[in-house]
């Protein structure tokens, strides 16, 4: 069986370095907000070409702290509306509602899976204050389009870059640097994955960064002095050390992902499957390779019986979740269609050539 993702194999490549860093961590005696967090923040900011990176405890916390910081700075208030894709993972929408803002769900473009630019302006009201764009599955959203709309309507533009570490826009900017602020997840399955939960915020805005630094650590302005009401959302020192090791290999791994995706696109030949649309390979880091099929469940079963494990990202849209039953009356036909058709094929930097060829062969015999 070809696993969808083998995290043991992914991390075994760095086993000796990881063990050495653990020994260093254990011996240092500094376990919270030490030199490893500080160094990772500098290195990841440099990687994204932003002035600031704030390490936090998860991707969800990264998003929530951005919204909370903008509230502290008076640029957002409870009840303000935030535009967000209807087909994103629930964390994007939770970050909005958890901070007492109002998510306004917008349909995606069926081909790119990202926000449909043509549908955003129809949803803008006097209460709309921000757009949360999501680089879903690793492909950058329409950067020019969202920047134009945000500027025209004086809206904050925030990136959910949880799946897009290293994606590069045509002007050279990377994910994490095409908005006012961006949130990253380093969940173990991500292109840059920790060995536990972790996240970060990147921004060029000094005031925003300083506010998030405070918010992630109880709102502290100095030892035992708290200028604002904050949280405990700190990046773990050990995870920062592990991320520093893996960051050095991120571009090489992304190159491997693009090569596999290119092979899939060139060699999968069947009328029953719609391949992901990609106009610029550099704008996609293929966190996931997502195909579509009208007979998705049948295809999934067929692949499994023939030795290929797949996953569905995601089987149930947020507005259909019990947690958001208040959205149940809304109809999002494109989103619902995607959630019924999408299927993710294995794609990761440790896939062997023979496995990649077998995946294509099995798909083509369906």
């Amino acid at each position: 069986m070809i696993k969808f993702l083998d995290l043991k194999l992914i991390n075994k490549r760095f086993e000796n370095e990881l063990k050495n860093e653990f020994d260093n961590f254990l011996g240092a005696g500094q376990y919270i907000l030490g030199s490893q967090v500080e160094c990772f923040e500098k290195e990841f900011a440099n990687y994204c070409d932003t002035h600031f990176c704030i390490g936090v405890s998860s991707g969800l916390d990264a998003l929530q702290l951005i919204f909370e910081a903008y509230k502290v700075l008076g640029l957002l208030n409870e009840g303000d509306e935030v535009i967000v894709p209807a087909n994103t993972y629930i964390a994007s929408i939770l970050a909005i509602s958890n901070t007492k803002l109002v998510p306004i769900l917008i349909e995606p473009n069926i081909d790119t899976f990202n926000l449909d630019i043509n549908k955003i302006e129809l949803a803008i009201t006097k209460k709309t204050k921000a757009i949360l764009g999501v680089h879903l599955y690793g492909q950058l959203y329409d950067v020019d389009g969202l920047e134009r709309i945000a500027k025209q309507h004086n809206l904050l533009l925030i990136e959910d870059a949880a799946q897009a570490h290293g994606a590069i826009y045509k002007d050279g900017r990377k994910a994490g640097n095409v908005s006012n602020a961006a949130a990253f997840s380093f969940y173990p399955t991500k292109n840059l994955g920790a060995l536990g939960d972790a996240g970060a915020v990147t921004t060029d805005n000094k005031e925003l960064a300083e506010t998030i630094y405070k918010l992630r650590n109880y709102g502290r302005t100095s030892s035992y002095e708290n200028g604002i009401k904050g949280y405990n959302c700190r990046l773990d020192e050990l995870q920062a050390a592990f991320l520093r090791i893996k960051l050095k290999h991120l571009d090489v791994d992304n190159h491997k992902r693009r090569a596999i995706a290119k092979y899939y696109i060139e060699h999968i030949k069947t009328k029953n499957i719609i391949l992901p649309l990609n106009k610029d390979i550099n704008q996609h880091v293929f966190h996931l390779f997502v195909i579509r099929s009208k007979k998705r469940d049948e295809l999934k079963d067929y692949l499994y019986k023939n030795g290929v494990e797949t996953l569905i990202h995601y089987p149930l849209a947020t507005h259909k979740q019990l947690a958001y039953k208040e959205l149940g009356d809304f109809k999002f036909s494109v989103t619902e269609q995607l959630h019924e058709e999408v299927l993710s094929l294995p794609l990761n930097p440790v896939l062997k050539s023979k496995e990649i060829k077998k995946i294509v062969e099995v798909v083509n015999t369906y």
Side-chain angles (χ1 to χ4, degrees):
M1 177 68 67
I2 299 173
K3 287 186 175 184
F4 179 76
L5 180 64
D6 189 337
L7 285 177
K8 285 172 123 180
L9 204 55
I10 289 278
N11 290 309
K12 189 163 183 62
R13 300 174 295 163
F14 318 115
E15 184 174 356
N16 290 335
E17 289 180 274
L18 294 170
K19 286 180 177 178
N20 286 338
E21 279 304 329
F22 177 78
D23 289 341
N24 292 337
F25 161 79
L26 199 60
Q30 176 65 53
Y31 305 136
I32 300 291
L33 293 183
S35 62
Q36 293 292 345
V37 170
E38 185 178 343
C39 287
F40 173 73
E41 289 174 336
K42 290 178 181 177
E43 290 163 7
F44 196 65
N46 183 64
Y47 179 82
C48 296
D49 198 25
T50 57
H51 288 106
F52 304 99
C53 168
I54 308 97
V56 298
S57 46
S58 71
L60 175 59
D61 285 333
L63 280 173
Q64 291 181 165
L65 289 174
I66 291 171
F67 290 127
E68 288 291 359
Y70 276 128
K71 286 167 64 180
V72 170
L73 296 174
L75 296 178
L76 287 176
N77 294 287
E78 289 185 12
D80 284 345
E81 295 175 351
V82 180
I83 286 172
V84 63
N87 64 314
T88 186
Y89 182 55
I90 195 171
S92 309
I93 298 167
L94 281 170
I96 299 170
S97 59
N98 283 355
T99 52
K100 298 183 180 177
L101 302 168
V102 180
I104 303 299
L105 276 57
I106 302 296
E107 290 270 50
N109 178 300
I110 198 166
D111 296 316
T112 66
F113 305 120
N114 285 330
L115 269 173
D116 188 334
I117 292 298
N118 298 317
K119 294 179 180 177
I120 294 175
E121 290 188 283
L122 297 173
I124 293 175
T125 70
K126 292 181 179 179
K127 292 185 177 181
T128 308
K129 301 299 179 184
I131 300 173
L132 177 57
V134 181
H135 306 307
L136 197 63
Y137 306 143
Q139 179 163 227
L140 294 181
Y141 57 57
D142 184 340
V143 174
D144 285 342
L146 287 187
E147 285 182 334
R148 173 182 56 79
I149 293 171
K151 184 176 180 180
Q152 183 178 344
H153 295 275
N154 195 29
L155 305 176
L156 295 168
L157 178 56
I158 299 162
E159 287 171 79
D160 183 336
Q163 301 181 351
H165 321 68
I168 305 170
Y169 191 50
K170 61 187 179 184
D171 62 6
R173 287 181 294 163
K174 285 183 178 176
N177 191 23
V178 293
S179 64
N180 299 113
F184 285 90
S185 167
F186 304 121
Y187 187 75
T189 60
K190 296 296 194 288
N191 291 33
L192 179 60
L195 274 67
D197 243 329
V201 175
T202 55
T203 184
D204 284 333
N205 187 316
K206 182 179 180 182
E207 191 176 18
L208 180 71
E210 289 176 345
T211 304
I212 295 174
Y213 279 124
K214 295 172 187 174
L215 283 171
R216 75 167 179 187
N217 192 29
Y218 299 102
R220 282 187 185 179
T221 50
S222 62
S223 183
Y224 296 109
E225 291 186 7
N226 303 68
I228 53 178
K229 296 174 183 176
Y231 307 88
N232 179 0
C233 298
R234 302 170 297 210
L235 173 61
D236 184 80
E237 181 77 356
L238 182 60
Q239 297 305 331
F242 292 161
L243 286 167
R244 292 185 67 202
I245 293 169
K246 298 181 75 174
L247 179 59
K248 294 181 288 187
H249 303 272
L250 178 58
D251 285 341
V252 172
D253 279 357
N254 282 343
H255 179 73
K256 291 177 182 177
R257 288 175 179 272
R258 291 184 177 113
I260 297 169
K262 190 171 184 286
Y263 185 87
Y264 284 166
I265 291 168
E266 291 176 351
H267 291 86
I268 292 177
K269 308 288 184 184
T270 171
K271 297 177 183 177
N272 301 308
I273 289 170
I274 300 172
L275 294 169
L277 177 67
N278 178 243
K279 296 179 180 179
D280 184 343
I281 199 76
N282 288 321
Q283 293 190 39
H284 207 320
V285 289
F286 293 97
H287 170 61
L288 298 170
F289 189 89
V290 181
I291 61 175
R292 290 166 48 209
S293 173
K294 296 288 185 184
K295 297 181 179 180
R296 188 266 311 281
D297 295 337
E298 182 182 292
L299 172 61
K300 180 177 172 61
D301 290 342
Y302 176 82
L303 292 174
Y304 189 80
K305 288 174 183 175
N306 285 275
V308 178
E309 183 183 32
T310 60
L311 290 179
I312 299 170
H313 296 90
Y314 304 98
L316 192 62
T318 299
H319 70 283
K320 293 289 187 180
Q321 300 278 1
L322 182 60
Y324 282 98
K325 58 186 177 181
E326 68 270 20
L327 299 175
D329 293 335
F330 289 88
K331 180 70 176 175
F332 298 99
S333 58
V334 176
T335 295
E336 289 165 26
Q337 180 182 343
L338 287 176
H339 283 269
E340 291 169 0
E341 294 180 356
V342 293
L343 185 67
S344 301
L345 299 181
L347 194 158
N348 62 75
V350 297
L351 274 180
K352 299 179 179 66
S353 295
K354 63 181 182 180
E355 293 175 321
I356 296 165
K357 290 177 180 177
K358 179 181 177 180
I359 291 166
V360 170
E361 289 170 3
V362 174
V363 170
N364 281 340
T365 60
Y366 172 65

